[in-house]
Amino acid sequence: MDNPSATRWAAVWAVFAGGLVAGAYICKVPPALPTLRANLGLTLVESGFIATMLNVVGGLAGMLAGVLADRFGQKRLALLGLAVMCVGGLLGAASAGFASLLIGRFIEGAGFILFTVAGTALMAQAAPAPRVRAKALALWSAYMPAGGSLALFAAPLVIGSFGWRGLWVGLSLAAAGAFALVARYAVAPPHGGVASLRLVLESLAQRGGIVLSLMFAFYVAQWTSVMIWLPTFVVDMRGGSTAAAALLTALMVLINVPGNLAGGWLLAHGVHRGRLTVGAFAIMALCSIGMLLDLFPDAVRFVLVLAFSACAGVIPAAVFSGIPLHARTPQHIATTNGMAMQSSQAGQFFGPILLAWLASRYGGWAASLSAMLAFAACGAACGFAIGAIERRRGR
């Protein structure tokens, strides 16, 4: 007889493979934008819509996707998400202009959010033992930086050999491969026992889920802002090449992965979620001061960028591992995760815009430090709050 508490590692790695594809879908656009603009005649504004469409879809429909997953089956929705990503990528590859490419990107965004909101529940089901679950969910939290860095490193080579359409088709095939793995190995959690409106109301009533969602938004607002504007700083402010800017950005994204895994290890070995996240937000604030103020040589400032990203990586691990604990029941996990994803997508959309507005209006990137410190302070407040909630609940 199977041990119900045993970890199903094949399922863990199958879901993570899908996460890698999802992360690559997020980050495939930035390195392709110069070629896209040249081939399709896109304006800067149109390019911005192509780049941010996934965030718009996630910000509008994250919780709805979670409700659908909890109501009709997390594995079913995860497979649908991978299939939709595949179709969206193929439609995008066949695009002849802005409108059709944007439609393809919208479809990709729908698939992305369907898969990622279900992924946490699938990971939790595959690793039911608490200590192993923390590690499995830390691995899951690395899907975006790991898949994104793979896309950032591979995109120039693929585009150079096959064009941007080759990159779109290649990732569509990867989504199809992930579909086969998830269909074969992922374990379906229980679902369907709670009505949709009740899923929403009961999830919104969980203070822990609300705090984790806000924490994720404040983290993403900072981390994504640095990732997006680092190339602009390197090229426009320091006269670096676009190749150098791409490499530095890829390294910044990649080093977030060890932080994700370290966060899971620390949580599995008894470090409290509240203390871990408060400490991480404090380090992010200190690194932001050194990064944005012209106090150090550029080499030191980039080391601080790497330290910022690595230490920040423990936060998504803390969020994703906390979602199963703070969901009302296992059948509420995807809805709670959808709430967190929707909040994070909003942070990912508005954070970089706020930093750019401050920098352009008040005389340089140093002016954006106030926003970074405010995000860090709000995130630390969420860390204190989640620590207090878990102490009261005896966790």
Side-chain angles (χ1 to χ4, degrees):
M1 179 178 289
D2 290 339
N3 181 359
S5 64
T7 302
R8 299 170 173 86
W9 285 108
V12 168
W13 289 109
V15 176
F16 183 64
L20 289 177
V21 174
Y25 264 76
I26 291 179
C27 292
K28 72 178 181 178
V29 170
L33 276 179
T35 307
L36 282 170
R37 292 187 64 199
N39 288 174
L40 301 180
L42 303 182
T43 67
L44 280 175
V45 173
E46 290 171 341
S47 299
F49 277 113
I50 297 297
T52 59
M53 181 51 66
L54 257 71
N55 308 123
V56 173
V57 176
L60 293 175
M63 193 170 187
L64 172 61
V67 170
L68 293 174
D70 279 329
R71 189 76 179 89
F72 301 107
Q74 293 90 342
K75 182 175 179 178
R76 188 177 298 163
L77 265 290
L79 291 172
L80 177 61
L82 288 168
V84 171
M85 275 197 286
C86 178
V87 171
L90 293 175
L91 289 175
S95 297
F98 168 69
S100 54
L101 183 61
L102 188 66
I103 291 171
R105 193 67 173 154
F106 177 86
I107 294 171
E108 290 175 7
F112 169 85
I113 202 67
L114 287 172
F115 177 77
T116 54
V117 297
T120 301
L122 294 179
M123 277 287 191
Q125 184 70 15
R131 288 185 63 175
V132 181
R133 174 182 284 186
K135 295 177 181 178
L137 289 170
L139 177 66
W140 170 246
S141 73
Y143 78 83
M144 203 294 289
S149 59
L150 287 174
L152 290 171
F153 281 120
L157 299 175
V158 176
I159 293 171
S161 299
F162 304 102
W164 70 268
R165 298 181 194 273
L167 179 62
W168 260 240
V169 171
L171 285 177
S172 293
L173 295 177
F179 180 98
L181 290 174
V182 172
R184 171 66 178 84
Y185 294 109
V187 182
H191 66 276
V194 185
S196 299
L197 180 59
R198 184 178 162 194
L199 282 169
V200 172
L201 296 177
E202 290 180 345
S203 296
L204 289 173
Q206 301 301 307
R207 287 176 295 174
I210 295 290
V211 171
L212 288 173
S213 299
L214 291 173
M215 180 190 294
F216 203 18
F218 291 128
Y219 155 76
V220 168
Q222 296 175 82
W223 189 85
T224 304
S225 295
V226 176
M227 179 191 71
I228 286 178
W229 297 123
L230 179 60
T232 299
F233 180 84
V234 170
V235 175
D236 294 348
M237 304 299 293
R238 287 300 186 263
S241 66
T242 55
L247 176 61
L248 294 177
T249 304
L251 291 174
M252 180 258 176
V253 173
L254 182 61
I255 204 167
N256 190 248
V257 175
N260 301 146
L261 301 179
W265 187 89
L266 291 168
L267 290 163
H269 287 79
V271 177
H272 293 286
R273 196 180 324 279
R275 294 174 186 170
L276 181 64
T277 52
V278 169
F281 278 114
I283 293 172
M284 292 174 77
L286 292 174
C287 289
S288 295
I289 294 172
M291 286 156 33
L292 293 171
L293 298 182
D294 198 6
L295 302 173
F296 303 108
D298 287 347
V300 175
R301 294 171 80 173
F302 183 66
V303 170
L304 290 172
V305 169
L306 296 180
F308 170 94
S309 183
C311 294
V314 304
I315 297 171
V319 170
F320 283 120
S321 63
I323 284 171
L325 294 177
H326 291 277
R328 182 179 175 88
T329 71
Q331 294 185 46
H332 291 71
I333 291 176
T335 302
T336 306
N337 189 45
M339 188 164 61
M341 290 296 295
Q342 187 158 343
S343 181
S344 74
Q345 294 299 310
Q348 189 168 336
F349 182 76
F350 289 110
I353 292 175
L354 176 59
L355 261 68
W357 181 80
L358 289 170
S360 61
R361 185 173 180 84
Y362 296 105
W365 289 110
S368 63
L369 177 61
S370 59
M372 292 288 281
L373 294 180
F375 290 146
C378 291
C382 291
F384 282 116
I386 202 68
I389 290 170
E390 293 190 354
R391 284 193 297 273
R392 283 197 296 270
R393 296 180 65 172
R395 293 207 173 111

